[in-house]
Amino acid sequence: MAKYVLALDQGTTSSRAILFDKKGNICYKAQHEFDQIYPKAGWVEHNPMEILYSQFQSITEVISNISSASDIAGIGITNQRETTILWDKETGKPVYNAIVWQCRRTADMCEKIKLDKDLCDYIKQHTGLIVDAYFSATKIRWILDNVPEARKLADEGKLLFGTVETWLIWNLSGGKVHVTDYSNASRTMLFDVDKLCWDEYLCDKLGVPMSLLPTPVPSSQVYGEVAQGIIGLEAIAGVPISGAIGDQPAALFGQGCFNAGQAKNTYGTGCFLLMNTGDKRVESRNNLVTGVAWGIGDKVEYAIEGSAFNAGSVIKWLRDDLNMIDTPARCDELAESVDDANGIYLVPAFTGLGAPYWDMYARGCIVGLTRGVNRKHFARAVLESIAYQMTDLLEAMREDSGIELTELRVDGGASVSNIMMQIQADMIGTLVNRPKVVETTALGAAYLAGLAVGFWASREEIESIREVDKVFVPKMPRAKRDELYKGWKRAVERAKDWEEH
């Protein structure tokens, strides 16, 4: 009888492996970071082999705690979305570094696409996305146009594309399985989210050969099994690979947001708000995007989503680059020691602004500085900047969906900050609900993998597992909240279209 499901959580800065038991408890976990590569301003890359090795290293560590492969019912994978890898299917070697979701190198390419209004409308109608360098399509095109031999290999049918879950599944299966789940396919700007297939017209218009593309599949399904002979993974050879989903919809599933109108926000490297809209796709009027949240069997459910590019990364910047703090907890301590940010606002548009602004050229700024500002206020402004960005997203989502939330479920590394969660509750005027297990991204992947192999019988069983750690209740008067938020909106205007000022 299997005891665990193994979740692989391949993120922007690290790869993790976690063994979950039947109650959704973390039994063992391991994590390894990998290098961030910044070739030019606004460019972000990862070495795909480092991604792979860091993930395999994490797996090797956690499976040292099992007695046999039969202890693991299945493997679920969740991943940083949009990050683009192209590799030679004969050698298995990438032809270029992974172009990361944060990378803005194709901004100019996107601006040219935007000149064709009919094409932009087609993209919005069929993919649920807006044209932006964030998504995978223009990243693929950049590699094909700029890497020697890449286009030739593609024309010869020797090149494969994948987002990170595709890359991991292909390698875990020994090169036998080339698939992507619907949620990841939805973030490429090439996928028809209603017909659940690649859009031939878009592939042609954007210069992406369809021979590169993986087979789209549901998020909960046995795709294959771990191949024999992978060094360090011999103990799990033959274990089913039975779940795959992008990191944000994984967190939505892991939070038990199974009903239309339920929403969660993840505070990771970026800030990601998703609302389940059921079997109906909501058309956004506020520059939010829509796509498949997950597919189970022959049924799919959709989500509306908004993202801010920089959230937890702002705290990391405060620690690693400005040396103002030595730990994230120190940021909380400093922020809690003052009542407010003393009039300053930080807009962390390090790689542009995401939803609802979608300004690729915006850059970070600090406004309102006076001589009375110290690092305590700066720490407070950092936490407030994350909460303000999420408030922008929720306001837009309320308008699009017509739903007034009574509760927001939260997760991600930065959600452990009590002071930031209280600021968030105050700014949105809504209960903020944090679960005991905040690793909901990995948990969502585990649940989907477990459902595919019968480790969990149903969503109802999964829903009964969720335990609450703390609920944050809004305390700030509405007038004060509105005043602060108005100041944030003014600060954002200073950051927008920076190159034009």
Side-chain angles (χ1 to χ4, degrees), residues 70-105:
S70 62
D71 285 348
I72 300 178
I75 297 172
I77 299 172
T78 184
N79 59 290
Q80 50 167 317
R81 298 172 300 168
E82 299 95 18
T83 295
T84 298
I85 305 171
L86 268 65
W87 68 95
D88 187 317
K89 72 177 180 182
E90 294 180 357
T91 67
K93 293 183 178 179
V95 298
Y96 189 75
N97 278 338
I99 300 182
V100 179
W101 59 274
Q102 298 162 311
C103 188
R104 312 306 295 169
R105 76 184 64 194

Side-chain angles (χ1 to χ4, degrees), residues 4-8 72-78 169 172 177 179 181 217-226 238-245 295-297 444-456:
Y4 313 108
V5 171
L6 174 60
L8 310 184
I72 300 178
I75 297 172
I77 299 172
T78 184
I169 293 170
L172 283 168
V177 181
V179 297
D181 97 288
V217 291
S219 314
S220 181
Q221 177 179 299
V222 175
Y223 313 121
E225 59 185 34
V226 178
V239 171
I241 306 165
S242 53
I245 186 169
I296 300 176
Y447 283 154
L448 287 160
L451 285 170
V453 295
F455 189 74
W456 287 288

Side-chain angles (χ1 to χ4, degrees), residues 288-300:
L288 302 181
V289 297
T290 60
V292 178
W294 50 72
I296 300 176
D298 59 359
K299 183 180 179 183
V300 298

Side-chain angles (χ1 to χ4, degrees), residues 343 345 347 357 367 388 391-392 395 427 476 478-494:
Y345 292 88
V347 183
Y357 307 106
V367 300
Y388 286 135
T391 305
D392 284 338
E395 291 294 322
M427 290 311 302
M476 183 179 291
R478 180 65 189 236
K480 177 65 173 175
R481 179 262 186 201
D482 289 347
E483 178 189 347
L484 289 171
Y485 190 51
K486 185 177 179 181
W488 162 256
K489 300 294 275 188
R490 286 199 305 267
V492 168
E493 289 303 312
R494 303 295 190 275

